[in-house]
Amino acid sequence: MAIKSTIFKVHLGISDLRRQYYEEHELTVARHASETDLRMVLRLVAFALNAHEHLAFTKGLGAAEEPDLWQVDLTGEIQHWIELGQPVEKRLRQSCGKARRVSVYTYQKGASKVWYEGMKDKMERFEHLEVTHLGVSDESGLAAMIDRSMKLHCLIEDGQVLLTDDAENSVAIELTALHRRKM
């Protein structure tokens, strides 16, 4: 018998000073049985970094053909494909062929650097791909924020995300652009 996902209810307030985006979102997030708490919270951060009325979580780890998040327009065309981790070249090629914009967020310190060094030459041909490393200052601080019902606020400014909760826990996440879109 398969282990079921754990469901989290999240109230996410976003203040994105880069994009002048200030909104509150009520989200339901399913954490796959094989997903870590860190990865789940970073999916929320990826949502905040790209928030849009049509941005949605997908089945993620439960569906190999879908990204972690995507923005689909009213015609069904994928506008933005968002992945967390270190996708293989084939996955990047497929996502760039399906979406107008592709964002990859890496987060594992040493492994992300090795992955990027091996992939950076291959990425040059993807004009609408961007890769950003999420440098978490305090992973145990993120763990303290996790609850089945969370109220989080995300402040995005000057290459950094400050994630806070109602209990006044806060964690800084440094955004490092590894590969920028050309278009």
Side-chain angles (χ1 to χ4, degrees):
M1 185 164 114
I3 299 173
K4 295 186 178 194
S5 296
T6 305
I7 304 300
F8 294 84
K9 297 290 186 178
V10 182
H11 175 90
L12 181 62
I14 302 170
S15 298
D16 188 340
L17 303 179
R18 306 166 309 157
R19 297 187 302 145
Q20 301 299 303
Y21 183 90
Y22 308 97
E23 292 292 333
E24 304 280 324
H25 294 269
E26 296 297 331
L27 304 169
T28 300
V29 180
R31 185 186 67 209
H32 191 272
S34 67
E35 184 175 34
T36 65
D37 288 340
L38 172 65
R39 189 177 192 286
M40 181 196 65
V41 172
L42 291 179
R43 280 195 298 136
L44 289 167
V45 170
F47 181 93
L49 289 168
N50 300 284
H52 184 278
E53 66 180 314
H54 297 295
L55 185 65
F57 292 99
T58 66
K59 295 176 186 169
L61 294 175
E65 67 281 351
E66 294 179 359
D68 291 293
L69 298 119
W70 60 14
Q71 179 184 328
V72 180
D73 68 16
L74 297 175
T75 66
E77 185 176 339
I78 302 170
Q79 297 296 313
H80 196 172
W81 178 290
I82 302 169
E83 295 268 357
L84 259 73
Q86 303 159 12
V88 296
E89 180 185 5
K90 180 180 178 184
R91 177 95 169 162
L92 287 176
R93 187 174 56 252
Q94 289 172 340
S95 60
C96 286
K98 292 178 182 178
R100 298 175 67 98
R101 179 177 174 202
V102 176
S103 297
V104 175
Y105 293 96
T106 66
Y107 59 92
Q108 296 167 322
K109 294 175 187 162
S112 292
K113 186 174 184 176
V114 171
W115 171 82
Y116 177 69
E117 289 301 319
M119 293 291 289
K120 69 180 176 182
D121 291 338
K122 298 170 182 132
M123 290 180 191
E124 289 304 316
R125 68 179 189 220
F126 304 122
E127 294 183 351
H128 52 286
L129 169 68
E130 65 184 12
V131 180
T132 304
H133 180 72
L134 304 174
V136 179
S137 64
D138 180 15
E139 289 183 21
S140 62
L142 276 181
M145 294 180 180
I146 297 172
D147 194 12
R148 296 286 295 270
S149 178
M150 296 180 268
K151 186 170 185 179
L152 302 173
H153 185 75
C154 192
L155 173 67
I156 304 165
E157 176 182 32
D158 296 331
Q160 190 174 49
V161 174
L162 182 63
L163 191 64
T164 57
D165 67 5
D166 275 353
E168 298 184 22
N169 295 312
S170 66
V171 174
I173 301 168
E174 196 71 33
L175 304 174
T176 305
L178 299 176
H179 182 81
R180 297 190 187 276
R181 284 186 301 147
K182 296 177 185 149
M183 49 183 287

